[in-house]
Amino acid sequence: MIPTPYYLIDKTALARNMAVMDQLRAASGAKVLLALKCFATWPAFPEMQPHMDGTTSSSLYELRLGAEKFGGETHAYSVAWAADEVAEAVGYADKIIFNSISQLNRFDAETQSIARGLRLNPRFSTSGFDLADPARPFSRLGEWDLAKLMAVADKISGVMIHYNCENDDFDLFDQQLTRIEAEFGDFLMRLDWVSLGGGIHFTGEGYPLQRLAARLKAFQARFGVQVFLEPGEAAITGAASLEVTVLDILNNGKDLAIIDSSVEAHMLDLLIYRQSARMQTSGPHPYMICGKSCLAGDIFGEFSFPQPLAVGDRLSIADAAGYTMVKKNWFNGVRMPAIVLKERDGSLTVARTFGYADFESSLG
């Protein structure tokens, strides 16, 4: 057996999401770009490339990775481009998207050879977390003043509007897009393309995909633009797990199982947003599943099992693709999970392992 911990990417599950991508693209005319900030594990890219139109990035390194490992169309966004990054970014990108008008003006001469865009902040979002809310008070993410946007419309060909977050409510999406149309319609009419960002959970079970497709198609027809979506989680929903092993069992008022992984090092978003991991298990034996780092709150959550756990048992933590591998770190020097692909025939392929040399080289 492959030693744990490792992230297990299921190609069959990934293919189900890609089939939805194909349906949405065909029915709507919209293009879909993989959001590398969520998932950038390039050994899985061959499964995704035929079903997506390219990548969107949040930094120069993500941009280069998308251009070299994924191909297709590359959108280059950064909250703030450094002067020494722009020339290289232009070399990789099809479109460069600025977060502010000041950056657009600053790098006007250097970026005239490719399509340019701005981030538009509609000043509302579906995020339930202040930490992730791009419309939070005093947000630095994008421009919103219509007069200022109209004044630079001749310098850009499109905008990115990122305001959805894990939004599985089509009616809410429809209402908010209608509001954008009402408030920014005259400006949108002057553009060639509009990215509606990510955070639309259209690969989720029961999502009304055809209604979404019709809404996107109507938006494109009304404003004469090409719509882009930037799925991150939607691209990899249910497609990966974190495979771990129980190292110790103890009781401190509750039965605790310590595993060979760490929330802070391997599934950091759970810690940031104070959420529990997910496991597909039930039964009469409850345990708190704990990470092995020295952080007191390194806890994956509480779960119940059909049998008592024992040292050496293997567990599978679900939904371990998005915002995990892109955030993994060497906290406590805990062994970093390998990356493993589950092939269509059920066999496992080890794509990458990490060892002491990787830990050492990351620090000096």
Side-chain angles (χ1 to χ4, degrees), residues 302-320:
E302 297 188 34
F303 308 94
S304 295
F305 298 87
Q307 303 293 333
L309 294 181
V311 171
D313 283 349
R314 290 204 170 197
L315 307 178
S316 182
I317 300 171
D319 294 336

Side-chain angles (χ1 to χ4, degrees), residues 141-219:
L141 300 175
E143 299 280 0
W144 57 268
D145 188 296
L146 182 57
K148 292 179 179 179
L149 289 166
M150 292 293 277
V152 296
D154 61 335
K155 291 187 175 183
I156 63 173
S157 59
V159 291
M160 179 186 73
I161 315 172
H162 183 69
Y163 61 101
N164 288 282
C165 181
E166 298 183 354
N167 183 10
D168 60 0
D169 184 343
F170 170 77
D171 290 330
L172 177 59
F173 169 81
D174 181 31
Q175 292 164 15
Q176 293 191 333
L177 186 57
T178 298
R179 180 175 168 184
I180 289 171
E181 291 171 327
E183 295 182 12
F184 297 97
D186 291 343
F187 175 62
L188 299 179
M189 285 286 188
R190 301 184 61 175
L191 305 177
D192 297 326
W193 55 272
V194 173
S195 171
L196 296 176
I200 307 168
H201 195 49
F202 60 85
T203 53
E205 185 176 353
Y207 190 91
L209 191 70
Q210 293 306 314
R211 293 180 68 195
L212 175 63
R215 186 66 176 90
L216 296 176
K217 191 172 184 177
F219 180 88

Side-chain angles (χ1 to χ4, degrees), residues 68-277:
E68 293 183 348
K69 298 294 188 180
F70 199 101
E73 187 157 351
T74 54
H75 286 202
Y77 167 75
S78 176
V79 172
W81 291 102
D84 62 353
E85 294 178 323
V86 174
E88 187 176 355
V90 168
Y92 295 121
D94 295 293
K95 295 178 174 63
I96 188 166
I97 301 168
F98 293 101
N99 185 67
S100 68
I101 292 172
S102 64
Q103 283 238 311
L104 171 66
N105 290 331
R106 179 183 177 190
F107 299 116
D108 184 17
E110 297 96 320
T111 59
Q112 289 187 7
S113 63
I114 63 171
R116 299 180 296 191
L118 273 174
R119 179 167 184 166
L120 190 159
N121 188 337
R123 292 186 291 176
F124 58 80
S125 81
T126 66
S127 177
F129 298 98
D130 180 67
L131 180 65
D133 184 1
R136 63 191 288 177
F138 315 111
S139 174
R140 73 196 194 284
L141 300 175
E143 299 280 0
W144 57 268
D145 188 296
L146 182 57
K148 292 179 179 179
L149 289 166
M150 292 293 277
V152 296
D154 61 335
K155 291 187 175 183
I156 63 173
S157 59
V159 291
M160 179 186 73
I161 315 172
H162 183 69
Y163 61 101
N164 288 282
C165 181
E166 298 183 354
N167 183 10
D168 60 0
D169 184 343
F170 170 77
D171 290 330
L172 177 59
F173 169 81
D174 181 31
Q175 292 164 15
Q176 293 191 333
L177 186 57
T178 298
R179 180 175 168 184
I180 289 171
E181 291 171 327
E183 295 182 12
F184 297 97
D186 291 343
F187 175 62
L188 299 179
M189 285 286 188
R190 301 184 61 175
L191 305 177
D192 297 326
W193 55 272
V194 173
S195 171
L196 296 176
I200 307 168
H201 195 49
F202 60 85
T203 53
E205 185 176 353
Y207 190 91
L209 191 70
Q210 293 306 314
R211 293 180 68 195
L212 175 63
R215 186 66 176 90
L216 296 176
K217 191 172 184 177
F219 180 88
Q220 291 178 118
R222 177 178 178 183
F223 296 101
V225 295
Q226 172 65 60
V227 162
F228 290 89
L229 299 181
E230 301 179 5
E233 290 278 5
I236 43 77
T237 299
S241 58
L242 176 60
E243 303 297 307
V244 299
T245 298
V246 176
L247 299 179
D248 196 13
I249 302 289
L250 60 155
N251 184 290
N252 192 12
K254 290 182 177 180
D255 286 328
L256 313 177
I258 299 175
I259 59 175
D260 58 353
S261 180
S262 163
V263 174
E264 183 165 15
H266 305 152
M267 296 188 78
L268 183 59
D269 266 13
L270 296 179
L271 193 66
I272 291 174
Y273 293 106
R274 299 184 179 274
Q275 294 179 318
S276 173

